Amino acid sequence: MTLVFRPAAERFHSQLDWLDSWHSFSFSHHHDPAWMGFGPLRVINDDTIAAGRGFGMHPHRDMEIVTVMVNGQLNHQDSMGHSEVLRAGEVQAMSAGTGVVHSEMNRGAIPCRLLQIWIEPDRAGHPPAYRQEPFVLRPGWTPLLDPDGRDGALAINRPVRLCRARAGAGERLELAIAPDANGWLQMIEGEGTAFGRPLRRGDGLGFAAAPADSFLAGPDGADVLLFELR
C-alpha cells in the first residue's frame, strides 16, 4: 500500500506575534506543488491564536470550511448574519458557496487552538451556509461530519466523513473506511502507530482503504482525526 506521510516538523509554518500556524498543505504564501492537498482535502491548519487577536473580516467562496476547536474559544461573525462563540469541543461547518465574508477572533482570556480544514465542494455555486454543534466524544470514533448526518454529525457539500477519537493508552481504533475512499489521519495530540508507522502530534498520514487496518494509541493516549475522502 502507498502511504502519504506528512511529518509535523516538515509542515509549513507561519509565525506572527499573535498567531502560530502549522500548515499540512500549501497555504497563503507557502507553496509546494508536491503538497497541494490530498484528494478534496485542501487545507489543515493547526492554529494557536493569542487572546484578543484573530482574523478580521475576509472573503471566501466555493470551499467547505470546517473548524475543530481544541482549546479556548473563538468568536465568529459573517455576512450571513451569524454571530457565534465557538468553544472547545465544538465544530463549525461553513459553506462559503457563492461568497461569504467572515471574521474569527479570540475574545477569550487565554490563547485558543483549533484545526481549520478546507474541503473542495462537489461543485461550485452552492448557497452559503453555516452550522455549529458541540460534540461529546464517546468511546471509539465520534462522527463530526457525515453526508447523512448520522449521530448528529454535520453534513457538507461533499460526501466526506470526519471522525474524532480520544484514545486511551494502548487502545486500538479500526480504520474502517469505504473501499472506494481514501483516508487521512491527523494527530491533534499524543502519539500512536498506524500501518507500522509511529505518529505524533501534528503528523498526518494518507492511505487507501484496506481491510483490518487500525490505529494503536501510545502510552500517553492520543487525540486524532480520521477523514474518509471521496
Side-chain angles (χ1 to χ4, degrees), residues 43 55-68 74-84 86 90-105 114-123 126-133 135 144-145 153-158 162:
V43 167
F55 301 95
M57 297 296 283
H58 59 282
H60 295 283
R61 66 179 301 120
D62 290 324
M63 193 64 70
E64 304 297 297
I65 300 173
V66 178
T67 302
V68 177
L74 197 67
N75 289 66
H76 168 93
Q77 287 189 307
D78 64 44
S79 54
M80 294 178 281
H82 300 102
S83 181
E84 308 289 346
L86 188 63
E90 295 188 317
V91 177
Q92 174 199 89
M94 183 176 70
S95 174
T98 53
V100 68
V101 179
H102 76 132
S103 67
E104 306 287 348
M105 304 294 295
L114 59 101
L115 269 66
Q116 186 168 101
I117 297 153
W118 293 9
I119 297 169
E120 294 177 337
D122 54 9
R123 62 171 176 83
H126 285 288
Y130 181 91
R131 191 175 166 196
Q132 173 183 328
E133 293 290 343
F135 289 90
L144 306 181
L145 298 180
L154 306 177
I156 62 172
N157 293 309
R158 184 94 191 194
L162 172 62

Side-chain angles (χ1 to χ4, degrees), residues 19 109 111 138 156 186:
L19 174 67
R138 62 193 191 206
I156 62 172
Q186 186 67 34

